[in-house]
């Protein structure tokens, strides 16, 4: 973690949509990139549900329906997948609730649920300020504040330290309450405390940690409950314990529990301070407890002043949400105007990166030309940009010192949340957007919706995932993962391309029809696209990370299900420019592998880049990119070099956030194309027929002359594959001028089922002109399990 003085707080200053009014006592949870806020109050208790998309910086009000709960404050609020549970809270002054509501966020549907009471004892009484924590299929309720008086206008507070367990049903609904028998000394009664649950990786039982709260005075004690043995204990801690507090937040990221804000005892009162203000004050102090070592670390102390408004001002009753390794804080109160009898609430939204981002996936190739690459990599959550670097065996020769010589490098601000940031992102924004539009345009009739909510949809014509493969050779291939719609067993439909990626596998066609070709090791990654919920014929998105294979029965997930249609599942890979006798040799490969110098391509806002040039480092410099708490290099002052045809380039990428540059990805290697070879066939279609399957394609968009023939290959089962499943062996099944062929049932019986990603039969198709064979298109025909 960064030193206290180097914490890089960011205030979100640019957003769209209906911003909720400032409040305190609200609660928030995260579902993927969405921050969902409910309840709280300021001049009345709020009853609306607000959602903030941390990727698009958009606020929106979902159209909720069903048993909509009344507004509440200081309630329990937990998230289990895409359902949210709300328990208790204050519904009006002096009147508290013990009702339980469930929200299915995939449909924005509220439902009031009635858990069974405990087998012995009473269910939880109405309360506020309790903790409500989720682990596995159970919620744990501890403490809170009850009103002993039946008259809501006559508030007689009673602090609680009771402990309940609520068992959940899978997906929706609850079983009931129980009162576990615990061992050890129970924490004293309290409200407005925090409770988090943490389990060490690969060892130990889950433990609930209760910190602070209010019981007539504010508390600073830490309690631990082992959820397996149900034993309470007070762990001995090291470091400086935060001041006693209530109405603070506690968030777990990794093995750390971050404590921010809250009410703390007032110290250093002076005669100018009113008697009411002497009783308490809000704080902006920030600490964490290492849950593995039980050591406190102070990141921002109570004594540190913030004269530059560089971090959130003191507050209590705010909300905090962890999305990835980033913490978001919104609203809360920072004082009390006695004359107006009203709270002073903050209206600001802040975030803080708690550690450097992880390494992205390997750089993936979308398209190679003679002097450029269109590349992408998987997105890393909650980052502000990516540093892309390359190196090559060629000697570096500057082409220009004028930044205008690289039209693809256009300066943009790296941080969309801040104005006046000095972080410059030379990015191929226009070209990248143009490329994206080109890919989207290939989807005839396919619409792509902004992921504003959990029901973002894609048209059923084509849904694409990205794949990655590597090879020791310098051959490139692009990989496109698709699902396509068919009208029936004998009818094909166009396959559209939504996005694509890389494959370094080689296709070297032979003259004999029965010859085989070996490919290199394959790895596949995936990107998810969500679709509208509806009935399906066995094609279902089970979760957010991958698509399921077909099953014979229909299993409809409420969050992401494909539209009802008969669907054949295909992945299309545009493969590499093969080696040729005309391939130019690498001149002046003067540097050894260990001495190759990495050069910056630039800092990119998005996870895609069009690369035609790179920046040359000053002599003696190994790296000029220092980002996070230092200035970004001024690329306009650096010389650039163009990419050269027929040349291999190694790429790596690192993500950037407020803590700096994270580790680099694994290295990928691609080769620029050799002029004159045909492009890869496109628009591959597969449909079933009585003989087997019908495989068809469109000619290359850039044939570079007359197409003399096409070759189609099928990956087959061999002993070599059994020894090394990722080492595919291909047999040519077609050679001719037609842009289609029949793959017989007998040939399919010998097909290898590739399990590097989802189970699939693999085809490759390439075109030949006067110079030879060009890049191949690889198709993975997804199979039922």
């Amino acid at each position: 973690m960064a030193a206290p003085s180097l914490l890089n707080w960011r205030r979100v200053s640019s957003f769209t949509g209906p911003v909720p009014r400032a409040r305190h006592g609200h609660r928030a949870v995260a579902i993927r990139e969405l921050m969902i806020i409910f309840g709280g109050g300021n001049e009345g208790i709020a009853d609306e549900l607000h959602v903030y998309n941390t990727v698009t910086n958009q606020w929106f009000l979902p159209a909720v329906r069903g048993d909509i709960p009344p507004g509440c404050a200081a309630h329990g609020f937990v998230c289990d997948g895409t359902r949210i549970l709300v328990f208790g809270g204050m519904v009006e002054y002096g009147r508290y609730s013990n009702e339980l509501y469930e929200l299915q966020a995939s449909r924005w549907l509220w439902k009031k649920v009635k858990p069974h009471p405990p087998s012995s004892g009473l269910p939880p009484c109405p309360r506020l300020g309790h903790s409500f924590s989720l682990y596995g299929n159970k919620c744990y309720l501890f403490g809170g504040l009850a009103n002993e008086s039946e008259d809501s206008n006559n508030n007689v507070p009673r602090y609680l330290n009771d402990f309940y367990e609520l068992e959940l049903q899978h997906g929706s609904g609850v079983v009931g309450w129980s009162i576990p028998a615990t061992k050890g000394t129970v924490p004293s009664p309290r409200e407005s405390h925090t409770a988090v649950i943490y389990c060490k990786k690969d060892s130990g039982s889950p433990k609930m940690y209760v910190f602070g709260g209010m019981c007539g005075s504010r508390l600073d004690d830490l309690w631990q409950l082992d959820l397996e043995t149900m034993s309470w204990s007070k762990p001995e801690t090291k470091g400086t314990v935060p001041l006693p507090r209530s109405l603070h937040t506690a968030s777990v990221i990794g093995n750390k529990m971050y404590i921010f804000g809250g009410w703390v005892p007032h110290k250093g009162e002076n005669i100018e301070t009113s008697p009411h203000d002497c009783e308490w004050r809000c704080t902006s102090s920030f600490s964490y407890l290492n849950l593995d070592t039980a050591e406190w670390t102070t990141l921002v102390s109570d004594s540190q002043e913030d004269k530059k408004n560089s971090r959130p001002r003191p507050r209590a009753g705010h909300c905090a949400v962890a999305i990835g390794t980033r913490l978001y804080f919104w609203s809360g109160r920072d004082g009390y105007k006695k004359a107006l009898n009203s709270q002073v609430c903050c209206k600001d939204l802040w975030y803080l990166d708690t550690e450097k981002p992880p390494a992205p996936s390997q750089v993936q190739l979308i398209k190679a030309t003679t002097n450029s690459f269109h590349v992408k990599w998987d997105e890393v959550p909650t980052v502000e940009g990516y540093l892309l670097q390359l190196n090559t065996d060629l000697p570096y020769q500057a082409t220009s010192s004028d930044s205008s010589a690289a039209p693809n490098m256009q300066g943009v601000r790296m941080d969309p949340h801040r104005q006046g940031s000095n972080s410059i992102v030379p990015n191929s924004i226009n070209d990248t957007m143009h490329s994206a539009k080109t890919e989207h345009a290939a989807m005839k009739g396919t619409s792509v919706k902004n992921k504003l909510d959990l029901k973002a949809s894609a048209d059923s014509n084509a849904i694409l995932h990205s794949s990655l493969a590597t090879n020791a050779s310098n051959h490139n291939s692009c990989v496109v993962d698709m699902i396509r719609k068919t009208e029936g067993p004998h009818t094909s439909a166009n396959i559209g391309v939504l996005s694509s990626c890389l494959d370094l596998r080689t296709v070297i066609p032979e003259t004999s029809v029965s010859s085989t070709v070996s490919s290199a090791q394959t790895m596949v990654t995936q990107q998810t696209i969500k679709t509208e919920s509806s009935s399906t014929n066995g094609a279902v998105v089970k979760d957010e990370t991958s698509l399921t294979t077909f099953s014979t029965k229909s299993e409809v997930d409420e969050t992401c299900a494909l539209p009802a249609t008969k669907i054949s599942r295909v992945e299309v890979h545009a493969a590499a420019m093969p080696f040729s006798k005309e391939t130019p040799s690498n001149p002046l490969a003067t540097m050894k592998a260990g001495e190759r110098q990495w050069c910056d391509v630039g800092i990119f806002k998005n996870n895609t880049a069009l690369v035609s040039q790179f920046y040359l480092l000053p002599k003696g410099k190994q790296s000029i990119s220092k980002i996070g708490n230092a200035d970004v290099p001024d690329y306009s002052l650096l010389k650039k070099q163009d990419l050269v045809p027929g040349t291999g380039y190694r790429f790596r990428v690192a993500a950037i956030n407020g803590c700096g540059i994270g580790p680099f990805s694994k290295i990928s290697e691609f080769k620029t194309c050799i002029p004159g070879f045909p492009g890869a066939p496109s628009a591959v279609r597969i449909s079933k027929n009585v003989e087997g399957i019908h495989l068809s394609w469109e000619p290359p968009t850039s044939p570079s002359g007359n197409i003399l023939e096409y070759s189609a290959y099928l990956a087959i089962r061999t002993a070599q594959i059994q020894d090394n499943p990722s080492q595919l062996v291909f047999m040519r099944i077609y050679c001719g001028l037609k842009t289609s062929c029949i793959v017989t049932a007998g040939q399919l019986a010998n097909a290898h089922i590739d399990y590097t990603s989802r189970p699939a039969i693999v085809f490759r198709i390439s075109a030949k002109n006067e110079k030879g064979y060009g890049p191949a298109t690889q198709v993975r025909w997804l199979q039922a399990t």
Side-chain angles (χ1 to χ4, degrees):
M1 186 68 194
S5 60
L6 297 179
L7 287 177
N8 207 347
W9 292 94
R10 303 291 176 89
R11 180 172 179 172
V12 181
S13 57
S14 177
F15 40 76
T16 59
V19 180
R21 73 177 190 266
R23 65 192 65 191
H24 62 96
H26 52 291
R27 300 288 187 262
V29 294
I31 298 180
R32 295 189 291 277
E33 73 273 18
L34 303 180
M35 180 171 70
I36 300 171
I37 296 170
F38 181 68
N42 182 26
E43 300 178 0
I45 295 177
D47 60 359
E48 67 272 11
L49 190 79
H50 289 269
V51 180
Y52 177 71
N53 187 314
T54 60
V55 174
T56 62
N57 300 327
Q58 292 174 307
W59 287 100
F60 65 96
L61 280 163
V64 296
R65 54 198 174 92
D67 305 323
I68 300 174
C72 56
H75 46 288
F77 201 56
V78 297
C79 179
D80 174 31
T82 57
R83 70 166 162 179
I84 296 171
L85 293 170
V86 180
F87 174 76
M90 181 172 69
V91 292
E92 62 183 48
Y93 179 78
R95 190 166 73 86
Y96 310 151
S97 168
N98 62 349
E99 293 179 338
L100 181 67
Y101 289 85
E102 175 186 272
L103 172 69
Q104 289 288 344
S106 59
R107 295 176 291 165
W108 302 118
L109 178 64
W110 282 106
K111 181 173 68 174
K112 186 175 182 179
V113 291
K114 296 182 179 180
H116 293 118
S119 57
S120 61
L122 297 173
C125 66
R127 67 189 65 204
L128 62 72
H130 47 283
S131 60
F132 197 52
S133 309
L134 173 77
Y135 188 82
N137 69 330
K138 293 180 179 177
C139 289
Y140 298 92
L141 169 68
F142 175 74
L145 181 70
N147 184 2
E148 288 285 79
S149 173
E150 295 181 0
D151 181 5
S152 61
N153 293 320
N154 181 26
N155 197 359
V156 180
R158 176 168 64 95
Y159 294 98
L160 305 170
N161 66 343
D162 49 357
F163 179 62
Y164 286 86
E165 186 178 85
L166 176 66
E167 185 178 352
L168 310 182
Q169 292 177 346
H170 179 70
S172 178
V174 298
V175 177
W177 294 105
S178 62
I179 304 175
T182 61
K183 306 169 189 175
T185 304
V186 178
S188 61
R190 65 192 64 207
E191 59 101 4
S192 297
H193 55 283
T194 54
V196 302
I197 298 176
Y198 169 73
C199 186
K200 285 186 181 180
K201 286 186 177 179
D202 305 323
S203 65
S205 58
K207 295 177 175 62
M208 184 171 78
Y209 293 88
V210 175
F211 176 72
M214 175 72 171
C215 184
S217 61
R218 284 164 186 87
L219 306 169
D220 63 354
D221 49 349
L222 177 72
W223 293 84
Q224 173 185 287
L225 175 65
D226 188 310
L227 294 180
E228 284 189 1
T229 64
M230 286 295 167
S231 300
W232 286 103
S233 61
K234 280 189 82 171
E236 292 185 6
T237 62
K238 296 171 283 187
T240 303
V241 178
L243 287 177
R245 67 191 60 212
S246 62
L247 291 172
H248 53 287
T249 54
S251 308
V252 174
I253 296 179
N255 65 346
K256 298 179 178 67
M257 177 177 73
Y258 291 91
I259 302 292
F260 176 74
W263 287 2
V264 296
H266 200 289
K267 292 186 178 180
E269 296 92 3
N270 55 57
I271 56 174
E272 296 178 359
T273 307
S274 70
H276 184 85
D277 290 334
C278 291
E279 297 174 9
W280 58 271
R281 64 181 174 89
C282 293
T283 181
S284 60
S285 61
F286 188 42
S287 303
Y288 72 78
L289 175 69
N290 185 312
L291 297 171
D292 291 336
T293 63
E295 182 173 4
W296 286 104
T297 299
T298 301
L299 299 172
V300 177
S301 69
D302 288 274
S303 60
Q304 284 180 270
E305 294 186 8
D306 180 28
K307 296 180 179 178
K308 298 181 180 180
N309 295 320
S310 59
R311 66 171 185 265
R313 68 182 190 262
R315 67 193 63 209
H318 52 285
C319 68
V321 163
I323 297 180
T325 58
R326 178 175 286 179
L327 269 176
Y328 282 85
F329 303 92
W330 182 71
S331 202
R333 56 176 159 178
D334 70 347
Y336 184 84
K337 288 186 177 178
K338 191 173 182 180
L340 300 177
N341 192 29
S342 64
Q343 308 295 334
V344 179
C345 288
C346 312
K347 299 179 181 179
D348 47 356
L349 173 63
W350 293 77
Y351 69 85
L352 175 73
D353 290 309
T354 60
E355 56 188 59
K356 290 181 179 180
S361 66
Q362 284 179 289
V363 177
Q364 306 164 21
L365 181 65
I366 295 175
K367 182 180 179 181
T369 68
T370 56
N371 57 4
S372 70
F373 297 111
H374 188 187
V375 297
K376 73 179 288 292
W377 49 91
D378 291 347
E379 287 185 343
V380 178
T382 62
V383 298
E384 295 171 3
Y386 301 90
L387 170 63
L388 182 64
Q389 292 186 332
L390 66 73
N391 72 30
T392 181
D393 293 334
L394 286 178
Y396 297 149
Q397 298 174 348
T399 56
S400 173
S401 60
D402 181 4
S403 61
S404 63
N408 296 330
M409 292 297 184
Q410 299 183 6
V412 299
R413 297 292 181 189
M414 183 171 70
D415 184 1
H417 306 300
R418 293 193 302 169
Q419 301 296 322
S421 168
N422 65 352
S423 300
I424 298 174
V425 188
N427 192 353
S428 317
I429 296 294
N430 290 344
D431 294 286
T432 296
M433 293 306 295
H434 174 73
S435 299
K437 290 176 182 176
T438 302
E439 291 172 342
H440 293 176
M443 301 178 63
K444 298 180 180 179
T446 299
S447 61
V448 181
K449 291 182 67 177
N450 189 349
K451 287 199 303 179
L452 183 63
D453 59 29
L454 295 176
K455 294 174 65 177
S457 68
D459 192 279
S460 60
N461 280 0
I463 300 170
L464 173 133
H465 293 256
S466 57
S467 302
L468 167 67
T470 56
N471 189 344
S473 75
N474 286 335
H475 296 248
N476 305 330
S477 84
C478 293
V479 184
V480 179
D481 218 0
M482 300 186 193
I483 299 175
R484 91 181 151 73
K485 182 172 82 172
T486 60
E487 302 300 329
H490 306 290
T491 307
S492 67
N494 290 336
I495 301 175
V497 179
L498 178 61
S499 67
S500 48
C501 50
L502 96 105
D503 187 332
L504 286 179
R505 286 169 282 197
T506 306
V507 180
I508 307 177
E510 302 287 346
T511 55
S512 170
V513 172
S514 62
S515 64
T516 61
V517 181
S518 296
S519 75
Q521 181 178 1
T522 302
M523 297 183 297
V524 181
T525 60
Q526 292 134 31
Q527 165 195 330
T528 298
I529 294 178
K530 294 170 285 190
T531 58
E532 293 278 1
S533 173
S534 65
S535 62
T536 70
N537 293 327
V540 178
V541 181
K542 295 285 286 185
D543 54 39
E544 295 81 39
T545 57
S546 65
L547 289 168
T548 64
T549 52
F550 279 108
S551 65
T552 56
K553 64 180 181 177
S554 177
E555 299 172 313
V556 181
D557 184 279
E558 293 172 335
T559 305
C560 313
L562 299 179
T565 181
K566 294 182 179 179
I567 297 177
S568 175
R569 309 183 64 185
V570 182
E571 298 170 321
V572 179
H573 306 244
M577 175 65 70
F579 281 125
S580 165
K581 293 180 182 179
E582 299 182 35
T583 302
S585 60
N586 282 348
L588 303 176
T590 56
M591 288 185 288
K592 296 179 182 179
E595 298 173 347
R596 292 172 185 144
Q597 192 175 41
W598 287 98
C599 295
D600 289 3
V601 177
I603 300 170
F604 294 83
K605 179 70 181 71
N606 300 311
N607 63 325
T608 183
L610 186 61
V611 182
S612 60
Q613 296 176 316
F614 57 93
Y615 292 94
L616 300 180
L617 296 172
K619 287 185 178 180
K621 294 261 188 171
Q622 288 299 313
S623 176
I624 57 170
S625 300
K626 299 178 73 176
I627 302 162
N629 297 302
D631 291 336
V632 174
D634 187 351
Y635 288 109
S636 65
L637 302 178
L638 299 178
K639 294 181 179 180
K640 294 185 293 293
Q641 180 162 317
D642 292 328
L643 302 189
V644 179
T647 303
Y649 293 89
R650 288 165 289 276
F651 284 87
R652 67 181 187 179
V653 65
I656 304 164
N657 67 12
C659 291
I661 304 176
F664 279 95
S665 66
K666 293 180 180 179
I667 295 171
S668 301
E669 187 166 353
F670 316 124
K671 191 175 184 180
T672 47
C673 293
I674 304 166
F677 286 87
S682 61
V684 179
R685 305 174 184 90
I686 294 178
S687 59
K688 292 183 179 180
N689 62 21
V690 291
E691 300 177 67
I693 64 169
H694 182 258
L695 184 65
S696 64
W697 55 90
E698 295 293 333
T701 54
S702 54
S704 298
N706 295 322
I707 299 298
L708 304 180
E709 66 182 26
Y710 296 95
S711 285
Y713 296 84
L714 169 68
I716 59 172
R717 292 194 304 272
T718 66
Q720 179 181 355
I721 292 184
Q722 290 177 355
D723 296 335
N724 184 2
S726 60
Q727 188 78 16
L728 299 183
V729 176
F730 286 85
M731 177 180 73
R732 183 149 64 177
I733 55 174
Y734 170 77
C735 181
L737 269 173
K738 289 185 177 181
T739 56
S740 66
C741 67
I742 298 295
V743 185
T744 67
Q747 291 171 321
L748 290 174
N750 293 319
H752 165 67
I753 305 297
D754 178 32
Y755 286 93
T756 54
S757 178
R758 299 172 298 285
I761 293 175
V762 182
F763 299 95
R764 286 178 177 172
I765 307 161
S766 58
K768 180 183 179 181
N769 65 7
E770 291 85 350
K771 280 210 168 187
Y773 274 95
T777 298
Q778 176 166 297
V779 180
R780 302 184 76 249
W781 184 33
L782 301 184
Q783 301 297 298
T785 54

